[in-house]
Amino acid sequence: AQLSREKEVNEKIYTMLLNRREEAKIAEAERVANIRIIDPARTPDAPFKPRKKLYLFLGTIFGLMLGIGVAFITEALDTSIKDSDEVENITGLTVLGTIPKINMNFKSTEININKRKKEKDVTEITRKLTTLFAPDSLETDAFRWLRMNLQLFNIDSPLKSILITSASPKEGKSLITANLGIISAKIGLRTLIIDGDIRKPILHKIFQQKKQPGLIDLIISLKNQMAKFSSNANFNQEKLNLSRKNTIGGNQNKAPQSNPLFQALTSLDYIFHHNSNQISSQINKYVKATPIQNLDILTCGTYTYNSAEFLASNILKNILLELENSYDVIFIDSTPIHVTTIARIIGSLVDGTLLVVKRSKTSRKELLRAKQLLKTSKSNLIGVVLNNIKIKEKYSRYYSPQATED
């Protein structure tokens, strides 16, 4: 009975729900729609978004503004040297030469180009010896112009010994030294290149020579030889005789060491002059001939912890004086000024110092500091060489083989 009653109740509920569903359908069908078509839809001729022309114009304007801003900021932060006018305005020094950026690969039977990975720096410099491999090139003419300016710097007293240095490493001083040596030898001048960069010597590799013996070994050898000369019996007798002559007349007890003549005779300059032939012969043993006619090289030699002290001695000054008697011009490569004191030491002994500045690398502060250090050491700073400059295309075309044919 209970189940029957539940069945009847459920049937009534189901019937009621069906009736309400039908009533809702009828009410929905009777409702009037409030939407009507005013204009039919049309296919657009162009896309509404994005507005490319507008965005492109705005992007160009903002891009130019951003680029100009970045350029001004970069220029303000970049303190490197850009051209020769800037060098002369900042330092007051004369730019004796501008060397273009060299991007050439050469082949020669005189010097083999080393291709070993460990000798990358040597290979890079050797490939840029334009004065040897490309004598008619624009780059070689730049070195000719530099050599001529050095020759005309002081006509009454020509520069015979020239130090080539730079403010910092990797500015091209060794490259310029090698090319100046080659171009001078090619015109018939007896030329000597001295590798004074005892920290990082490279010229002996470029010209395919052994590093030892060299400059440092020569100074040590002459130092020992000077000691022998000064202790020579005959030499001491000569000093004593002259010293006695000077003391006759009331000053017999005066010590020979305090006698001016005695001091002059024991000086290094006198010993060099008194034994000039022997010393000159000794120096020639350390100078090496290169494959290039008229060009010799004196390599750096054996590095020691006190090599700078050897270079600071008067022996080097007298060595240079002896070499100047045998050569028309001497080019000396040295360490960068801001690395060691060697450049300042040698600079005080030579006729002139040439400062190499690399475009877009050497900063104004480094340049001014290098000038100040050289002036402090009493070096004769004759001028600046601006290296790695950009050459306009019209000048490059002028030196091309096609232009020569025309």
Side-chain angles (χ1 to χ4, degrees), residues 183-216:
I183 199 69
S184 299
K186 289 289 186 181
I187 64 172
L189 295 178
R190 292 173 299 171
T191 307
L192 176 67
I193 292 177
I194 300 178
D195 194 347
D197 190 349
I198 61 175
R199 289 285 184 176
K200 194 177 179 182
I202 197 172
L203 291 176
H204 69 282
K205 298 178 182 179
I206 295 173
F207 293 100
Q208 301 170 3
Q209 303 293 329
K210 292 182 179 180
K211 179 181 175 183
Q212 296 94 4
L215 179 61
I216 301 300

PDB file of all heavy atoms in Angstrom, residues 183-216:
ATOM      1  N   ILE A 183     111.369  49.775 -43.833  1.00  0.00           N
ATOM      2  CA  ILE A 183     111.301  50.841 -44.830  1.00  0.00           C
ATOM      3  C   ILE A 183     112.600  51.642 -44.859  1.00  0.00           C
ATOM      4  O   ILE A 183     113.040  52.123 -45.912  1.00  0.00           O
ATOM      5  CB  ILE A 183     110.091  51.772 -44.562  1.00  0.00           C
ATOM      6  CG1 ILE A 183     109.738  52.579 -45.810  1.00  0.00           C
ATOM      7  CG2 ILE A 183     110.330  52.695 -43.393  1.00  0.00           C
ATOM      8  CD1 ILE A 183     109.162  51.769 -46.914  1.00  0.00           C
ATOM      9  N   SER A 184     113.276  51.779 -43.710  1.00  0.00           N
ATOM     10  CA  SER A 184     114.555  52.479 -43.669  1.00  0.00           C
ATOM     11  C   SER A 184     115.644  51.658 -44.342  1.00  0.00           C
ATOM     12  O   SER A 184     116.479  52.194 -45.074  1.00  0.00           O
ATOM     13  CB  SER A 184     114.950  52.780 -42.215  1.00  0.00           C
ATOM     14  OG  SER A 184     113.996  53.612 -41.587  1.00  0.00           O
ATOM     15  N   ALA A 185     115.623  50.350 -44.100  1.00  0.00           N
ATOM     16  CA  ALA A 185     116.621  49.474 -44.720  1.00  0.00           C
ATOM     17  C   ALA A 185     116.424  49.400 -46.226  1.00  0.00           C
ATOM     18  O   ALA A 185     117.399  49.302 -46.986  1.00  0.00           O
ATOM     19  CB  ALA A 185     116.545  48.081 -44.102  1.00  0.00           C
ATOM     20  N   LYS A 186     115.169  49.454 -46.681  1.00  0.00           N
ATOM     21  CA  LYS A 186     114.876  49.349 -48.109  1.00  0.00           C
ATOM     22  C   LYS A 186     115.417  50.538 -48.909  1.00  0.00           C
ATOM     23  O   LYS A 186     115.686  50.400 -50.104  1.00  0.00           O
ATOM     24  CB  LYS A 186     113.362  49.238 -48.323  1.00  0.00           C
ATOM     25  CG  LYS A 186     112.752  47.906 -47.884  1.00  0.00           C
ATOM     26  CD  LYS A 186     113.147  46.781 -48.820  1.00  0.00           C
ATOM     27  CE  LYS A 186     112.425  45.493 -48.471  1.00  0.00           C
ATOM     28  NZ  LYS A 186     112.821  44.390 -49.377  1.00  0.00           N
ATOM     29  N   ILE A 187     115.579  51.680 -48.268  1.00  0.00           N
ATOM     30  CA  ILE A 187     116.094  52.847 -48.995  1.00  0.00           C
ATOM     31  C   ILE A 187     117.615  52.966 -48.844  1.00  0.00           C
ATOM     32  O   ILE A 187     118.207  53.973 -49.233  1.00  0.00           O
ATOM     33  CB  ILE A 187     115.419  54.145 -48.531  1.00  0.00           C
ATOM     34  CG1 ILE A 187     115.750  54.436 -47.069  1.00  0.00           C
ATOM     35  CG2 ILE A 187     113.930  54.093 -48.751  1.00  0.00           C
ATOM     36  CD1 ILE A 187     115.272  55.801 -46.607  1.00  0.00           C
ATOM     37  N   GLY A 188     118.231  51.943 -48.250  1.00  0.00           N
ATOM     38  CA  GLY A 188     119.681  51.908 -48.189  1.00  0.00           C
ATOM     39  C   GLY A 188     120.306  52.369 -46.891  1.00  0.00           C
ATOM     40  O   GLY A 188     121.532  52.398 -46.775  1.00  0.00           O
ATOM     41  N   LEU A 189     119.511  52.728 -45.894  1.00  0.00           N
ATOM     42  CA  LEU A 189     120.067  53.152 -44.608  1.00  0.00           C
ATOM     43  C   LEU A 189     120.479  51.928 -43.796  1.00  0.00           C
ATOM     44  O   LEU A 189     119.752  50.931 -43.736  1.00  0.00           O
ATOM     45  CB  LEU A 189     119.032  53.959 -43.813  1.00  0.00           C
ATOM     46  CG  LEU A 189     118.592  55.292 -44.406  1.00  0.00           C
ATOM     47  CD1 LEU A 189     117.526  55.929 -43.527  1.00  0.00           C
ATOM     48  CD2 LEU A 189     119.775  56.233 -44.575  1.00  0.00           C
ATOM     49  N   ARG A 190     121.637  51.993 -43.171  1.00  0.00           N
ATOM     50  CA  ARG A 190     122.047  50.923 -42.268  1.00  0.00           C
ATOM     51  C   ARG A 190     121.194  51.036 -41.013  1.00  0.00           C
ATOM     52  O   ARG A 190     121.322  51.984 -40.238  1.00  0.00           O
ATOM     53  CB  ARG A 190     123.533  51.060 -41.940  1.00  0.00           C
ATOM     54  CG  ARG A 190     124.468  50.784 -43.130  1.00  0.00           C
ATOM     55  CD  ARG A 190     125.897  51.108 -42.772  1.00  0.00           C
ATOM     56  NE  ARG A 190     126.033  52.519 -42.423  1.00  0.00           N
ATOM     57  CZ  ARG A 190     127.139  53.053 -41.892  1.00  0.00           C
ATOM     58  NH1 ARG A 190     128.187  52.292 -41.655  1.00  0.00           N
ATOM     59  NH2 ARG A 190     127.179  54.341 -41.616  1.00  0.00           N
ATOM     60  N   THR A 191     120.330  50.060 -40.809  1.00  0.00           N
ATOM     61  CA  THR A 191     119.282  50.150 -39.791  1.00  0.00           C
ATOM     62  C   THR A 191     119.438  49.049 -38.763  1.00  0.00           C
ATOM     63  O   THR A 191     119.731  47.903 -39.100  1.00  0.00           O
ATOM     64  CB  THR A 191     117.893  50.054 -40.445  1.00  0.00           C
ATOM     65  OG1 THR A 191     117.797  51.026 -41.488  1.00  0.00           O
ATOM     66  CG2 THR A 191     116.802  50.304 -39.423  1.00  0.00           C
ATOM     67  N   LEU A 192     119.230  49.404 -37.505  1.00  0.00           N
ATOM     68  CA  LEU A 192     119.256  48.439 -36.403  1.00  0.00           C
ATOM     69  C   LEU A 192     117.966  48.550 -35.615  1.00  0.00           C
ATOM     70  O   LEU A 192     117.523  49.647 -35.275  1.00  0.00           O
ATOM     71  CB  LEU A 192     120.446  48.702 -35.479  1.00  0.00           C
ATOM     72  CG  LEU A 192     120.516  47.811 -34.222  1.00  0.00           C
ATOM     73  CD1 LEU A 192     120.773  46.356 -34.611  1.00  0.00           C
ATOM     74  CD2 LEU A 192     121.575  48.316 -33.253  1.00  0.00           C
ATOM     75  N   ILE A 193     117.368  47.399 -35.334  1.00  0.00           N
ATOM     76  CA  ILE A 193     116.195  47.334 -34.462  1.00  0.00           C
ATOM     77  C   ILE A 193     116.619  46.687 -33.155  1.00  0.00           C
ATOM     78  O   ILE A 193     117.220  45.603 -33.150  1.00  0.00           O
ATOM     79  CB  ILE A 193     115.055  46.533 -35.110  1.00  0.00           C
ATOM     80  CG1 ILE A 193     114.495  47.280 -36.322  1.00  0.00           C
ATOM     81  CG2 ILE A 193     113.940  46.271 -34.101  1.00  0.00           C
ATOM     82  CD1 ILE A 193     113.421  46.509 -37.052  1.00  0.00           C
ATOM     83  N   ILE A 194     116.324  47.338 -32.045  1.00  0.00           N
ATOM     84  CA  ILE A 194     116.624  46.800 -30.718  1.00  0.00           C
ATOM     85  C   ILE A 194     115.316  46.467 -30.020  1.00  0.00           C
ATOM     86  O   ILE A 194     114.423  47.311 -29.921  1.00  0.00           O
ATOM     87  CB  ILE A 194     117.428  47.804 -29.871  1.00  0.00           C
ATOM     88  CG1 ILE A 194     118.755  48.137 -30.553  1.00  0.00           C
ATOM     89  CG2 ILE A 194     117.675  47.249 -28.473  1.00  0.00           C
ATOM     90  CD1 ILE A 194     119.583  49.162 -29.802  1.00  0.00           C
ATOM     91  N   ASP A 195     115.203  45.238 -29.553  1.00  0.00           N
ATOM     92  CA  ASP A 195     114.004  44.816 -28.826  1.00  0.00           C
ATOM     93  C   ASP A 195     114.224  45.081 -27.342  1.00  0.00           C
ATOM     94  O   ASP A 195     114.848  44.286 -26.638  1.00  0.00           O
ATOM     95  CB  ASP A 195     113.722  43.332 -29.071  1.00  0.00           C
ATOM     96  CG  ASP A 195     112.317  42.944 -28.631  1.00  0.00           C
ATOM     97  OD1 ASP A 195     111.681  43.754 -27.928  1.00  0.00           O
ATOM     98  OD2 ASP A 195     111.840  41.842 -28.984  1.00  0.00           O
ATOM     99  N   GLY A 196     113.728  46.212 -26.879  1.00  0.00           N
ATOM    100  CA  GLY A 196     113.860  46.572 -25.478  1.00  0.00           C
ATOM    101  C   GLY A 196     112.653  46.189 -24.649  1.00  0.00           C
ATOM    102  O   GLY A 196     112.584  46.530 -23.455  1.00  0.00           O
ATOM    103  N   ASP A 197     111.706  45.482 -25.260  1.00  0.00           N
ATOM    104  CA  ASP A 197     110.527  45.023 -24.515  1.00  0.00           C
ATOM    105  C   ASP A 197     110.887  43.703 -23.832  1.00  0.00           C
ATOM    106  O   ASP A 197     110.542  42.621 -24.308  1.00  0.00           O
ATOM    107  CB  ASP A 197     109.348  44.839 -25.463  1.00  0.00           C
ATOM    108  CG  ASP A 197     108.037  44.612 -24.711  1.00  0.00           C
ATOM    109  OD1 ASP A 197     108.091  44.396 -23.495  1.00  0.00           O
ATOM    110  OD2 ASP A 197     106.971  44.648 -25.355  1.00  0.00           O
ATOM    111  N   ILE A 198     111.573  43.801 -22.719  1.00  0.00           N
ATOM    112  CA  ILE A 198     112.068  42.593 -22.053  1.00  0.00           C
ATOM    113  C   ILE A 198     110.951  41.821 -21.372  1.00  0.00           C
ATOM    114  O   ILE A 198     111.139  40.652 -21.019  1.00  0.00           O
ATOM    115  CB  ILE A 198     113.164  42.955 -21.032  1.00  0.00           C
ATOM    116  CG1 ILE A 198     112.599  43.876 -19.950  1.00  0.00           C
ATOM    117  CG2 ILE A 198     114.352  43.595 -21.730  1.00  0.00           C
ATOM    118  CD1 ILE A 198     113.584  44.193 -18.843  1.00  0.00           C
ATOM    119  N   ARG A 199     109.806  42.439 -21.170  1.00  0.00           N
ATOM    120  CA  ARG A 199     108.679  41.735 -20.538  1.00  0.00           C
ATOM    121  C   ARG A 199     107.968  40.815 -21.525  1.00  0.00           C
ATOM    122  O   ARG A 199     107.605  39.689 -21.200  1.00  0.00           O
ATOM    123  CB  ARG A 199     107.682  42.766 -19.982  1.00  0.00           C
ATOM    124  CG  ARG A 199     108.178  43.512 -18.776  1.00  0.00           C
ATOM    125  CD  ARG A 199     108.144  42.631 -17.547  1.00  0.00           C
ATOM    126  NE  ARG A 199     108.542  43.359 -16.347  1.00  0.00           N
ATOM    127  CZ  ARG A 199     108.524  42.852 -15.131  1.00  0.00           C
ATOM    128  NH1 ARG A 199     108.137  41.594 -14.965  1.00  0.00           N
ATOM    129  NH2 ARG A 199     108.913  43.551 -14.097  1.00  0.00           N
ATOM    130  N   LYS A 200     107.743  41.315 -22.726  1.00  0.00           N
ATOM    131  CA  LYS A 200     107.032  40.532 -23.733  1.00  0.00           C
ATOM    132  C   LYS A 200     107.682  40.751 -25.096  1.00  0.00           C
ATOM    133  O   LYS A 200     107.108  41.377 -25.970  1.00  0.00           O
ATOM    134  CB  LYS A 200     105.547  40.926 -23.766  1.00  0.00           C
ATOM    135  CG  LYS A 200     104.671  39.938 -24.523  1.00  0.00           C
ATOM    136  CD  LYS A 200     103.221  40.336 -24.460  1.00  0.00           C
ATOM    137  CE  LYS A 200     102.351  39.362 -25.248  1.00  0.00           C
ATOM    138  NZ  LYS A 200     100.931  39.772 -25.244  1.00  0.00           N
ATOM    139  N   PRO A 201     108.874  40.216 -25.289  1.00  0.00           N
ATOM    140  CA  PRO A 201     109.577  40.425 -26.566  1.00  0.00           C
ATOM    141  C   PRO A 201     108.903  39.664 -27.702  1.00  0.00           C
ATOM    142  O   PRO A 201     108.405  38.550 -27.511  1.00  0.00           O
ATOM    143  CB  PRO A 201     110.974  39.870 -26.283  1.00  0.00           C
ATOM    144  CG  PRO A 201     110.761  38.855 -25.211  1.00  0.00           C
ATOM    145  CD  PRO A 201     109.640  39.376 -24.355  1.00  0.00           C
ATOM    146  N   ILE A 202     108.895  40.274 -28.883  1.00  0.00           N
ATOM    147  CA  ILE A 202     108.237  39.636 -30.022  1.00  0.00           C
ATOM    148  C   ILE A 202     109.000  39.828 -31.334  1.00  0.00           C
ATOM    149  O   ILE A 202     108.824  39.057 -32.280  1.00  0.00           O
ATOM    150  CB  ILE A 202     106.784  40.182 -30.161  1.00  0.00           C
ATOM    151  CG1 ILE A 202     105.948  39.265 -31.050  1.00  0.00           C
ATOM    152  CG2 ILE A 202     106.806  41.600 -30.718  1.00  0.00           C
ATOM    153  CD1 ILE A 202     104.492  39.633 -31.075  1.00  0.00           C
ATOM    154  N   LEU A 203     109.891  40.812 -31.378  1.00  0.00           N
ATOM    155  CA  LEU A 203     110.575  41.125 -32.630  1.00  0.00           C
ATOM    156  C   LEU A 203     111.495  39.993 -33.082  1.00  0.00           C
ATOM    157  O   LEU A 203     111.667  39.774 -34.285  1.00  0.00           O
ATOM    158  CB  LEU A 203     111.373  42.421 -32.482  1.00  0.00           C
ATOM    159  CG  LEU A 203     110.534  43.696 -32.331  1.00  0.00           C
ATOM    160  CD1 LEU A 203     111.426  44.898 -32.097  1.00  0.00           C
ATOM    161  CD2 LEU A 203     109.669  43.926 -33.560  1.00  0.00           C
ATOM    162  N   HIS A 204     112.095  39.268 -32.150  1.00  0.00           N
ATOM    163  CA  HIS A 204     112.971  38.168 -32.551  1.00  0.00           C
ATOM    164  C   HIS A 204     112.195  37.067 -33.252  1.00  0.00           C
ATOM    165  O   HIS A 204     112.714  36.381 -34.130  1.00  0.00           O
ATOM    166  CB  HIS A 204     113.714  37.607 -31.331  1.00  0.00           C
ATOM    167  CG  HIS A 204     112.839  36.892 -30.354  1.00  0.00           C
ATOM    168  ND1 HIS A 204     112.033  37.559 -29.443  1.00  0.00           N
ATOM    169  CD2 HIS A 204     112.609  35.565 -30.155  1.00  0.00           C
ATOM    170  CE1 HIS A 204     111.382  36.679 -28.711  1.00  0.00           C
ATOM    171  NE2 HIS A 204     111.696  35.468 -29.114  1.00  0.00           N
ATOM    172  N   LYS A 205     110.928  36.905 -32.895  1.00  0.00           N
ATOM    173  CA  LYS A 205     110.090  35.901 -33.564  1.00  0.00           C
ATOM    174  C   LYS A 205     109.688  36.375 -34.959  1.00  0.00           C
ATOM    175  O   LYS A 205     109.626  35.573 -35.898  1.00  0.00           O
ATOM    176  CB  LYS A 205     108.850  35.617 -32.718  1.00  0.00           C
ATOM    177  CG  LYS A 205     109.160  35.032 -31.349  1.00  0.00           C
ATOM    178  CD  LYS A 205     107.882  34.819 -30.544  1.00  0.00           C
ATOM    179  CE  LYS A 205     108.182  34.275 -29.162  1.00  0.00           C
ATOM    180  NZ  LYS A 205     106.948  34.093 -28.355  1.00  0.00           N
ATOM    181  N   ILE A 206     109.402  37.659 -35.078  1.00  0.00           N
ATOM    182  CA  ILE A 206     109.004  38.198 -36.386  1.00  0.00           C
ATOM    183  C   ILE A 206     110.131  38.046 -37.398  1.00  0.00           C
ATOM    184  O   ILE A 206     109.901  37.634 -38.545  1.00  0.00           O
ATOM    185  CB  ILE A 206     108.608  39.681 -36.240  1.00  0.00           C
ATOM    186  CG1 ILE A 206     107.357  39.811 -35.357  1.00  0.00           C
ATOM    187  CG2 ILE A 206     108.361  40.314 -37.610  1.00  0.00           C
ATOM    188  CD1 ILE A 206     106.998  41.234 -35.024  1.00  0.00           C
ATOM    189  N   PHE A 207     111.357  38.345 -36.969  1.00  0.00           N
ATOM    190  CA  PHE A 207     112.502  38.281 -37.876  1.00  0.00           C
ATOM    191  C   PHE A 207     113.252  36.952 -37.769  1.00  0.00           C
ATOM    192  O   PHE A 207     114.360  36.821 -38.271  1.00  0.00           O
ATOM    193  CB  PHE A 207     113.453  39.441 -37.602  1.00  0.00           C
ATOM    194  CG  PHE A 207     112.872  40.780 -37.951  1.00  0.00           C
ATOM    195  CD1 PHE A 207     112.347  41.610 -36.972  1.00  0.00           C
ATOM    196  CD2 PHE A 207     112.821  41.201 -39.274  1.00  0.00           C
ATOM    197  CE1 PHE A 207     111.803  42.849 -37.295  1.00  0.00           C
ATOM    198  CE2 PHE A 207     112.287  42.438 -39.602  1.00  0.00           C
ATOM    199  CZ  PHE A 207     111.773  43.262 -38.619  1.00  0.00           C
ATOM    200  N   GLN A 208     112.623  35.980 -37.091  1.00  0.00           N
ATOM    201  CA  GLN A 208     113.120  34.605 -37.045  1.00  0.00           C
ATOM    202  C   GLN A 208     114.547  34.522 -36.521  1.00  0.00           C
ATOM    203  O   GLN A 208     115.444  33.985 -37.163  1.00  0.00           O
ATOM    204  CB  GLN A 208     113.010  33.970 -38.437  1.00  0.00           C
ATOM    205  CG  GLN A 208     111.598  33.947 -38.975  1.00  0.00           C
ATOM    206  CD  GLN A 208     111.513  33.545 -40.430  1.00  0.00           C
ATOM    207  OE1 GLN A 208     112.519  33.219 -41.044  1.00  0.00           O
ATOM    208  NE2 GLN A 208     110.316  33.566 -40.988  1.00  0.00           N
ATOM    209  N   GLN A 209     114.732  35.113 -35.342  1.00  0.00           N
ATOM    210  CA  GLN A 209     116.030  35.078 -34.680  1.00  0.00           C
ATOM    211  C   GLN A 209     115.875  34.472 -33.284  1.00  0.00           C
ATOM    212  O   GLN A 209     114.787  34.439 -32.719  1.00  0.00           O
ATOM    213  CB  GLN A 209     116.612  36.502 -34.561  1.00  0.00           C
ATOM    214  CG  GLN A 209     116.757  37.238 -35.869  1.00  0.00           C
ATOM    215  CD  GLN A 209     117.798  36.611 -36.764  1.00  0.00           C
ATOM    216  OE1 GLN A 209     118.777  36.041 -36.298  1.00  0.00           O
ATOM    217  NE2 GLN A 209     117.597  36.734 -38.079  1.00  0.00           N
ATOM    218  N   LYS A 210     116.972  34.006 -32.732  1.00  0.00           N
ATOM    219  CA  LYS A 210     116.952  33.477 -31.376  1.00  0.00           C
ATOM    220  C   LYS A 210     116.921  34.626 -30.377  1.00  0.00           C
ATOM    221  O   LYS A 210     117.538  35.662 -30.577  1.00  0.00           O
ATOM    222  CB  LYS A 210     118.182  32.601 -31.138  1.00  0.00           C
ATOM    223  CG  LYS A 210     118.179  31.303 -31.946  1.00  0.00           C
ATOM    224  CD  LYS A 210     119.399  30.460 -31.614  1.00  0.00           C
ATOM    225  CE  LYS A 210     119.384  29.153 -32.399  1.00  0.00           C
ATOM    226  NZ  LYS A 210     120.571  28.313 -32.102  1.00  0.00           N
ATOM    227  N   LYS A 211     116.206  34.396 -29.301  1.00  0.00           N
ATOM    228  CA  LYS A 211     116.057  35.439 -28.287  1.00  0.00           C
ATOM    229  C   LYS A 211     117.371  35.706 -27.551  1.00  0.00           C
ATOM    230  O   LYS A 211     117.713  36.848 -27.252  1.00  0.00           O
ATOM    231  CB  LYS A 211     114.975  35.016 -27.294  1.00  0.00           C
ATOM    232  CG  LYS A 211     114.731  36.002 -26.174  1.00  0.00           C
ATOM    233  CD  LYS A 211     113.663  35.462 -25.239  1.00  0.00           C
ATOM    234  CE  LYS A 211     113.485  36.367 -24.026  1.00  0.00           C
ATOM    235  NZ  LYS A 211     112.499  35.817 -23.080  1.00  0.00           N
ATOM    236  N   GLN A 212     118.126  34.643 -27.223  1.00  0.00           N
ATOM    237  CA  GLN A 212     119.408  34.768 -26.556  1.00  0.00           C
ATOM    238  C   GLN A 212     120.533  34.402 -27.528  1.00  0.00           C
ATOM    239  O   GLN A 212     120.338  33.507 -28.367  1.00  0.00           O
ATOM    240  CB  GLN A 212     119.479  33.852 -25.326  1.00  0.00           C
ATOM    241  CG  GLN A 212     118.493  34.191 -24.242  1.00  0.00           C
ATOM    242  CD  GLN A 212     117.209  33.383 -24.352  1.00  0.00           C
ATOM    243  OE1 GLN A 212     117.102  32.519 -25.216  1.00  0.00           O
ATOM    244  NE2 GLN A 212     116.257  33.658 -23.493  1.00  0.00           N
ATOM    245  N   PRO A 213     121.690  35.038 -27.392  1.00  0.00           N
ATOM    246  CA  PRO A 213     121.976  36.174 -26.507  1.00  0.00           C
ATOM    247  C   PRO A 213     121.462  37.476 -27.107  1.00  0.00           C
ATOM    248  O   PRO A 213     121.259  37.572 -28.310  1.00  0.00           O
ATOM    249  CB  PRO A 213     123.495  36.163 -26.426  1.00  0.00           C
ATOM    250  CG  PRO A 213     123.921  35.618 -27.751  1.00  0.00           C
ATOM    251  CD  PRO A 213     122.873  34.604 -28.145  1.00  0.00           C
ATOM    252  N   GLY A 214     121.254  38.462 -26.234  1.00  0.00           N
ATOM    253  CA  GLY A 214     120.711  39.729 -26.708  1.00  0.00           C
ATOM    254  C   GLY A 214     121.159  40.893 -25.854  1.00  0.00           C
ATOM    255  O   GLY A 214     122.257  40.888 -25.272  1.00  0.00           O
ATOM    256  N   LEU A 215     120.301  41.893 -25.748  1.00  0.00           N
ATOM    257  CA  LEU A 215     120.656  43.158 -25.106  1.00  0.00           C
ATOM    258  C   LEU A 215     121.064  42.971 -23.644  1.00  0.00           C
ATOM    259  O   LEU A 215     122.104  43.486 -23.212  1.00  0.00           O
ATOM    260  CB  LEU A 215     119.477  44.129 -25.208  1.00  0.00           C
ATOM    261  CG  LEU A 215     119.658  45.502 -24.560  1.00  0.00           C
ATOM    262  CD1 LEU A 215     120.814  46.247 -25.216  1.00  0.00           C
ATOM    263  CD2 LEU A 215     118.370  46.314 -24.658  1.00  0.00           C
ATOM    264  N   ILE A 216     120.252  42.257 -22.877  1.00  0.00           N
ATOM    265  CA  ILE A 216     120.564  42.065 -21.462  1.00  0.00           C
ATOM    266  C   ILE A 216     121.866  41.285 -21.297  1.00  0.00           C
ATOM    267  O   ILE A 216     122.709  41.620 -20.451  1.00  0.00           O
ATOM    268  CB  ILE A 216     119.413  41.337 -20.743  1.00  0.00           C
ATOM    269  CG1 ILE A 216     118.109  42.138 -20.868  1.00  0.00           C
ATOM    270  CG2 ILE A 216     119.741  41.116 -19.268  1.00  0.00           C
ATOM    271  CD1 ILE A 216     118.164  43.516 -20.277  1.00  0.00           C
TER     272      ILE A 216
END
